[in-house]
Amino acid sequence: MSKQDGFDKRLNEARARQGLDRAAGNAGPPGGSWGVGYRAGVEVFSALVVGVVVGLLLDRWLGTWPWLFLLMFVMGSAAGVLNVFRLFKPRGMKRD
Amino acid sequence: MAAEGKSIDALSQFELGTVLGPFGASVNFTQSNLHMVIVAGLILALLHYGMRARALVPGRLQSLAETSYEFIHNMVTEQIGDAGKRYFPFVFTLFMFVLFGNMLGLFPYAFTFTSHIAVTFALAAMVFVLITVVALMLHGKKFFGYFFPEGAPLWLAPIIVPVEIISYLSRPISLSIRLFANMVAGHVMLKVFATFIVMLAGLGVAGPFLSLLPLTINVALVGFEVLVAFLQAYVFAILTCIYLHDAVHLH
């Protein structure tokens, strides 16, 4: 139906006239500079939480307090930095 | 609840209590659950009554229903590709649930269930289990290669593998904390400034005029909170899509 009477074409023309179709190409995380900073903070924090919890659980299981905790804390920080790097990595770059 | 005496009580709005009298109390049916049921009902009502007309030129409700449907449909196909269409129902449900939960929480006397980490973490854990199961089903053992990038020197494995695993495990945490913290922060700010209005209003002759200042801020904050409510639902949905993309394509 829409193809026969050229409805799509007319609709697109009308949308373009009204400026409804924003130019595509605003990649990256939404939310402005505060939002980006906040997201980076959350990424670091959550990686640290996981690292610390995993370290504590392993220590409790293996009885090696505090060594695995310390090790996993460092690993968690590294994972946090990795998360932030992935957040700002331009889209389309291959995961490495 | 607010501004009793001279203290600011910004956190009591997140307290849970049972509703529906003795019936609710006996099964611990809290106002959080009640609002979840309301949200589910609202979504169903929107889609049912919105799409009942099935008009070629949609009315308001149908337009809203179609816009939200197409918004998520485009997001899913753009992020995951054609293979992502089968995850559309999941992402759409998640998005609508979070969005309506956030928006409903902005109404006076309403409760924001997305301001509880238990709720957001349950949603994020669901996403996490889903992406892991999808990746395991589609790729089998190759999924574990995800934790060690090809071409990296082998002696780095003891460092890379734990870091990648922690990074993977941190996904549901960051997903849940982001939503929960945004909602809590917004509602605390609203409550604090609302309390300022009441406290300043009782400050003699100049009080009512001074209380206009926090009132102005609160008006702006409510508008900002509507933005945050949508944005956080959007971020939740698009991150789910990105994780599903990783699970489907392993890259």
Side-chain angles (χ1 to χ4, degrees):
Chain A
M1 163 118 202
S2 57
K3 279 190 184 118
Q4 284 156 15
D5 59 3
F7 177 74
D8 280 344
K9 193 163 156 268
R10 280 185 289 135
L11 179 65
N12 282 336
E13 275 169 9
R15 287 184 71 95
R17 236 181 297 130
Q18 299 291 334
L20 280 173
D21 292 316
R22 268 183 295 132
N26 50 339
S33 52
W34 272 96
V36 172
Y38 171 74
R39 278 192 64 184
V42 169
E43 293 291 347
V44 172
F45 176 73
S46 52
L48 266 179
V49 166
V50 172
V52 166
V53 168
V54 168
L56 283 176
L57 287 181
L58 282 178
D59 269 337
R60 212 160 151 206
W61 179 41
L62 301 168
T64 47
W65 169 260
W67 301 111
L68 283 175
F69 165 72
L70 292 174
L71 182 71
M72 291 317 262
F73 184 83
V74 175
M75 292 286 185
S77 335
V81 174
L82 183 70
N83 281 348
V84 173
F85 170 72
R86 292 228 172 99
L87 187 63
F88 291 108
K89 183 178 64 173
R91 207 72 201 286
M93 201 170 120
K94 256 189 85 117
R95 183 181 172 277
D96 50 6
Chain B
M1 220 155 61
E4 275 153 22
K6 289 258 184 274
S7 66
I8 298 175
D9 183 14
L11 291 177
S12 67
Q13 56 174 324
F14 302 118
E15 265 167 29
L16 288 172
T18 56
V19 287
L20 300 180
F23 300 107
S26 58
V27 290
N28 249 334
F29 191 79
T30 61
Q31 80 270 51
S32 177
N33 301 120
L34 178 69
H35 281 81
M36 287 182 207
V37 173
I38 293 174
V39 159
L42 282 177
I43 297 169
L44 284 177
L46 169 70
L47 292 175
H48 180 75
Y49 290 109
M51 292 316 292
R52 201 160 57 165
R54 289 196 177 80
L56 190 61
V57 178
R60 278 176 233 146
L61 266 185
Q62 191 185 344
S63 196
L64 186 62
E66 285 182 0
T67 309
S68 41
Y69 182 97
E70 274 173 18
F71 179 64
I72 298 299
H73 193 266
N74 286 344
M75 181 195 285
V76 167
T77 45
E78 260 172 44
Q79 295 294 332
I80 315 176
D82 256 3
K85 273 183 191 155
R86 62 166 110 161
Y87 309 111
F88 167 75
F90 178 71
V91 180
F92 185 66
T93 313
L94 212 55
F95 173 75
M96 292 303 266
F97 189 66
V98 173
L99 176 68
F100 273 59
N102 291 350
M103 290 289 187
L104 188 71
L106 286 174
F107 285 93
Y109 299 106
F111 182 82
T112 326
F113 59 78
T114 42
S115 65
H116 275 215
I117 187 89
V119 176
T120 58
F121 187 74
L123 293 174
M126 221 157 65
V127 172
F128 181 73
V129 170
L130 177 83
I131 59 172
T132 311
V133 168
V134 162
L136 277 174
M137 265 169 60
L138 288 179
H139 301 281
K141 272 188 211 144
K142 256 194 284 173
F143 165 67
F144 297 104
Y146 183 83
F147 297 114
F148 189 69
E150 287 167 43
L154 204 61
W155 59 271
L156 276 178
I159 301 173
I160 292 178
V161 173
V163 167
E164 286 279 357
I165 288 176
I166 290 175
S167 172
Y168 189 74
L169 288 178
S170 77
R171 281 173 168 186
I173 313 270
S174 71
L175 202 54
S176 53
I177 286 179
R178 191 178 298 120
L179 176 60
F180 142 83
N182 261 298
M183 297 325 286
V184 167
H187 283 261
V188 165
M189 280 214 294
L190 278 176
K191 187 62 158 262
V192 165
F193 282 106
T195 314
F196 282 167
I197 300 174
V198 179
M199 288 168 112
L200 279 175
L203 213 68
V205 187
F209 300 102
L210 279 177
S211 68
L212 277 178
L213 293 170
L215 181 64
T216 325
I217 294 174
N218 239 2
V219 170
L221 265 182
V222 169
F224 182 68
E225 279 307 303
V226 172
L227 175 78
V228 168
F230 173 76
L231 202 64
Q232 288 309 312
Y234 171 76
V235 166
F236 203 93
I238 200 156
L239 281 175
T240 307
C241 286
I242 290 173
Y243 295 160
L244 275 169
H245 169 95
D246 280 357
V248 173
H249 303 286
L250 271 195
H251 273 297

